[in-house]
Amino acid sequence: MVLCKDNTLYTGWTNDLEKRLAAHNAGTGAKYTKTRRPVRMVYAEEHEEKRDAMRREAQIKRLSRGEKVALIASTQNILK
């Protein structure tokens, strides 16, 4: 999950966090983040299987902003 310049949160999945973050900040990562740069990585999880990562992305996208903020602050965050 990245925090955008306008204080919104964007959730996606990737197999290379550093490359994806660089793409977002270059304006090539996603249409949503293109006009909201710079972005900063605030939350990440690791999953063995692509399908599990995609399923988790869908779950996170359904969360409210408050729930996402709580998730970012949680001990599950591998960025801590």
Side-chain angles (χ1 to χ4, degrees):
M1 196 174 335
V2 296
L3 179 65
C4 300
K5 177 179 72 172
D6 65 356
N7 207 34
T8 58
L9 294 166
Y10 173 81
T11 303
W13 72 272
T14 184
N15 57 6
D16 189 332
L17 282 175
E18 291 178 17
K19 184 177 176 182
R20 182 72 167 160
L21 183 61
H24 281 300
N25 280 315
T28 59
K31 190 175 182 180
Y32 183 84
T33 59
K34 189 173 188 173
T35 59
R36 293 169 168 87
R37 296 177 286 157
V39 302
R40 180 173 56 94
M41 186 77 60
V42 293
Y43 184 82
E45 294 179 0
E46 288 184 351
H47 295 274
E48 291 294 320
E49 300 291 329
K50 177 181 171 180
R51 70 176 189 274
D52 296 332
M54 294 175 77
R55 186 176 298 124
R56 182 63 173 145
E57 174 197 19
Q59 289 173 342
I60 291 171
K61 284 183 172 185
R62 287 190 297 267
L63 298 176
S64 69
R65 180 176 175 83
E67 291 169 324
K68 289 176 186 177
V69 169
L71 186 61
I72 292 165
S74 75
T75 57
Q76 292 179 349
N77 191 350
I78 66 167
L79 297 177
K80 285 188 172 185

